[in-house]
Amino acid sequence: MIEVVAELSRGPVFLAGEALECVVTVTNPLPPTATSASSEALAWASAQIHCQFHASESRVALPPPDSSQPDVQPDSQTVFLPHRGERGQCILSTPPKILFCDLRLDPGESKSYSYSEVLPIEGPPSFRGQSVKYVYKLTIGCQRVNSPITLLRVPLRVLVLTGLQDVRFPHDEAVAPSSPFLEEDEGGKKDSWLAELAGERLMAATSCRSLHLYNISDGRGKVGTFGIFKSVYRLGEDVVGTLNLGEGTVACLQFSVSLQTEEHVQPEYQRRRGAGGVPSVSHVTHARHQESCLHTTRTSFSLPIPLSSTPGFCTAIVSLKWRLHFEFVTSREPGLVLLPPVEQPEPTTWTGPEQVPVDTFSWDLPIKVLPTSPTLASYAAPGPSTSTITI
């Protein structure tokens, strides 16, 4: 029996283009007092990162698979296929790397191997939607002599920042270590430079503040004014808005605002369409605020963007967009007052009306949501950083 442990040194969340580092430890768990006949051997071990794509058959119409692809013997148990047994199709993978060959371990002995690979920058982000799913995994395959391959899978979460694909790593002194007494390899310099560049771009895109005002009206007049200070956010930030109802000519009884994502299947891949030929769209609500606001002059709300959610993105098959979805309930009666008179000649019992004729309408405001620091996402939404399998 051999125990294989894979541990991610920095957590399970990464930015596309970063280097993933994993330590693979192989151990013979028998006590050292066992006989030499208890030694265990492995023929080889290899590691590879891959992205699995799965689509809902009721929502997405995919083209038939390409029959011209070479046969890779998917049924053979002696061929290293990281996506063996997985749902969907493998759309992205890195070249496999051999960790070791002909390893023999005595009882109680263990050996560790380091695996490092750059996550492909051209791939989609990790996403589990209603129509499609993109799932990243690091798969480690091990094999005994004359035995089937055993696979150890480590789940990953990959965030994608659009625009980094076109950036080239500068080979100059600008990325040299700050201290001449410190040594850093080329891969480490590029990885830290990419993370710093991504942080600068995220900060520049989300730190700009400027008040945007929107007049909200229905068919009978103005309801109020909505104000928001920015339209680009990072995962983990709060969407803060203000609503001024004092200037309205139509009484607003209640409003709600929801932070939602819209999952659009591209037209050429759509299978189900809504009424009137309009493409169906999947909505997911991540946060919601509701308030009764009759006789309210000004109010505000704050909606947190979950760190576990997926930033907006677009692929050839699906796109994900963010929005604020408002719903208003307004009175049909002009100058509606539901408060008792301030001055009364004698004590009386006052009750509000049992029924008020109302109208409802909705309004959508698109916003943009970008990734955040992978380290922050790992701390706030921790996932498994260690996976174990026994052969």
Side-chain angles (χ1 to χ4, degrees), residues 253 330-333 355-359:
L253 307 181
T330 58
S331 170
R332 294 180 183 175
E333 298 180 358
Q355 294 183 351
V356 176
V358 298
D359 287 326

Side-chain angles (χ1 to χ4, degrees), residues 275-294:
V278 179
S280 59
V281 180
S282 303
H283 296 96
V284 175
T285 298
H286 300 274
R288 188 172 186 267
H289 174 85
Q290 180 174 312
E291 184 176 337
S292 298
C293 54
L294 181 62

Side-chain angles (χ1 to χ4, degrees), residues 2-8 22-29 42 45 99-100 103 105 108-115 140 142 152 386-391:
I2 293 181
E3 182 181 70
V4 181
V5 179
E7 181 178 4
L8 299 173
C22 179
V23 177
V24 180
T25 304
V26 186
T27 306
N28 185 341
L42 284 179
L99 300 178
F100 59 81
L103 176 65
L105 297 175
E109 185 181 5
S110 67
K111 289 188 178 181
S112 297
Y113 301 87
S114 178
Y115 170 80
I140 300 169
C142 305
L152 171 61
T386 304
S387 299
T388 305
I389 196 172
T390 301
I391 305 175

Side-chain angles (χ1 to χ4, degrees), residues 318-330:
V318 71
S319 66
L320 187 73
K321 300 179 181 180
W322 287 75
R323 72 176 187 179
L324 293 177
H325 177 69
F326 292 84
E327 295 180 355
F328 296 92
V329 180
T330 58

Side-chain angles (χ1 to χ4, degrees), residues 248-270:
T249 58
V250 178
C252 183
L253 307 181
Q254 180 179 285
F255 82 93
S256 66
V257 54
S258 302
L259 178 64
Q260 297 181 339
T261 49
E262 298 178 304
E263 183 182 354
H264 296 257
V265 178
Q266 305 295 1
E268 58 268 31
Y269 295 102
Q270 291 175 4

Side-chain angles (χ1 to χ4, degrees), residues 30-96:
L30 293 177
T33 56
T35 62
S36 59
S38 301
S39 297
E40 297 284 355
L42 284 179
W44 58 266
S46 184
Q48 187 176 12
I49 299 172
H50 62 101
C51 176
Q52 288 293 121
F53 167 75
H54 174 71
S56 171
E57 295 182 357
S58 63
R59 294 173 177 267
V60 182
L62 294 177
D66 187 2
S67 58
S68 63
Q69 295 294 329
D71 184 14
V72 293
Q73 302 178 3
D75 296 330
S76 174
Q77 297 295 319
T78 59
V79 178
F80 177 48
L81 294 176
H83 50 87
R84 184 195 310 277
E86 296 273 59
R87 298 180 61 189
Q89 53 184 297
C90 179
I91 61 171
L92 188 68
S93 63
T94 59

